[in-house]
Amino acid sequence: MAEQPQPISPVKNFFAGGFGGVCLVFVGHPLDTIKVRLQTQPKPQPGQPPLYSGTFDCFRKTLVGEGVRGLYRGMAAPIVGVTPMFAVCFFGFGLGKRLQQRTPDDVLTYPQLFAAGMLSGVFTTAIMAPGERIKCLLQIQAATGETKYSGSLDCAKQLYREAGIRGVYKGTVLTLMRDVPASGMYFMTYEWLKNILTPEGKSVSELSAPRILFAGGLAGIFNWAVAIPPDVLKSRFQTAPPGKYPNGFRDVLRELIREEGVASLYKGFTAVMIRAFPANAACFLGFEVAMKFLNWVAPGL
């Protein structure tokens, strides 16, 4: 059984979740860029080496060819989206817990926490799907040397002009397939680890910063262990030319397995796992610190 914190206000949730999300993006975006480029690199011609031989080769080529700014390509879209997205994410998790409680004092089981986390994944998809679409297009644009989009806003405008709202939200189903189970694992693991790491006789709210970092980092690892295969499919589908995959993710899955094998579903694994721990450790620490600050400056908010 897990010890549940008291429900927090939506206003505090918004600002604390947004701050945690900004921390996550700033720490994790460089390796997210590497992940997307590895996942979307074209299949090499017979006898030719791949564009990138692995995570560190991609990192080196990006840094040499584009400098540090190259590692932060497309960051504007997730930065703009993180505040509402993480507010909605943490709000969705809290709502999912509350819906399963008969009284506010009920302590939820870990399967119930998993279900509450899945609800947060549903809530965030409306914001996440277009942000991911724009981010992925900008990340691979720099690698190919083309300059179709001058930035995030220009990318969104062109997508809407070419295909309407459907063009902006391309890949929504795959985003759901990635985020719903992964979010369940994310929050359940974080709550489980917080309870394990809390010393006997202490409250979860008194957990030290290093333990919060450890719990948040491992929660990120568990999250991406579930999310990587649908994330590969999503990245391929969202960056493909119009009409390439008429049957959606099924066509992407068939093509990947036929041409590159099952292992292709784990492209970018190293980059994802290197990124997952520090980025999500920063996210949860940022969230917890922001919540304590808000409780101190505005206890009645």
Side-chain angles (χ1 to χ4, degrees):
M1 304 286 281
E3 179 185 340
Q4 304 296 319
Q6 291 298 314
I8 57 177
S9 81
V11 175
K12 291 178 182 177
N13 194 51
F14 179 87
F15 287 107
F19 183 71
V22 170
C23 293
L24 180 145
V25 173
F26 185 78
V27 172
H29 192 79
L31 279 161
D32 185 71
T33 298
I34 302 302
K35 177 205 72 173
V36 170
R37 291 186 177 184
L38 287 170
Q39 289 176 345
T40 57
Q41 66 176 320
K43 186 180 179 182
Q45 296 297 321
Q48 297 294 319
L51 182 60
Y52 307 115
S53 61
T55 299
F56 297 104
D57 181 54
C58 183
F59 180 86
R60 181 184 61 81
K61 288 179 178 176
T62 300
L63 199 58
V64 170
E66 304 168 51
V68 175
R69 291 184 63 181
L71 296 170
Y72 283 91
R73 297 284 183 190
M75 193 175 74
I79 280 288
V80 169
V82 286
T83 299
M85 186 191 74
F86 273 81
V88 169
C89 180
F90 280 90
F91 172 79
F93 179 56
L95 178 63
K97 290 191 293 183
R98 185 174 297 179
L99 288 173
Q100 297 180 87
Q101 290 178 315
R102 294 181 179 178
T103 68
D105 296 326
D106 283 351
V107 177
L108 300 182
T109 64
Y110 290 116
Q112 287 176 313
L113 289 171
F114 185 87
M118 288 197 296
L119 182 63
S120 77
V122 174
F123 275 37
T124 57
T125 296
I127 302 169
M128 181 69 84
E132 288 275 303
R133 168 97 154 119
I134 293 165
K135 172 182 69 70
C136 289
L137 287 171
L138 290 174
Q139 285 172 331
I140 66 162
Q141 171 182 270
T144 59
E146 299 176 0
T147 14
K148 183 178 179 181
Y149 310 112
S150 61
S152 299
L153 186 59
D154 180 56
C155 182
K157 287 179 178 177
Q158 288 197 45
L159 289 173
Y160 184 79
R161 193 181 306 122
E162 291 167 3
I165 197 68
R166 289 173 63 90
V168 178
Y169 274 87
K170 182 179 179 180
T172 298
V173 172
L174 279 164
T175 305
L176 276 170
M177 289 173 62
R178 181 192 68 176
D179 288 351
V180 170
S183 294
M185 182 64 71
Y186 188 53
F187 282 106
M188 182 189 72
T189 303
Y190 180 63
E191 296 289 340
W192 170 60
L193 288 169
K194 281 204 304 180
N195 286 318
I196 287 178
L197 294 170
T198 300
E200 189 174 351
K202 297 284 187 178
S203 168
V204 171
S205 62
E206 300 173 317
L207 209 59
S208 66
R211 295 189 181 203
I212 291 171
L213 285 168
F214 182 73
L218 276 187
I221 294 286
F222 277 83
N223 170 82
W224 278 103
V226 173
I228 288 177
D231 185 63
V232 173
L233 298 176
K234 180 196 70 64
S235 294
R236 282 290 183 100
F237 183 69
Q238 287 186 319
T239 57
K244 182 175 181 181
Y245 301 116
N247 296 312
F249 74 90
R250 290 172 294 178
D251 285 348
V252 187
L253 181 61
R254 290 191 196 103
E255 180 185 85
L256 276 172
I257 292 178
R258 182 179 66 250
E259 296 186 359
E260 302 177 48
V262 176
S264 64
L265 293 173
Y266 287 87
K267 276 191 171 184
F269 179 86
T270 304
V272 167
M273 289 306 171
I274 292 173
R275 170 187 180 268
F277 191 96
N280 289 283
C283 174
F284 276 111
L285 181 63
F287 176 81
E288 299 287 359
V289 168
M291 281 303 302
K292 287 183 178 180
F293 177 75
L294 290 170
N295 286 332
W296 177 63
V297 298
L301 189 63

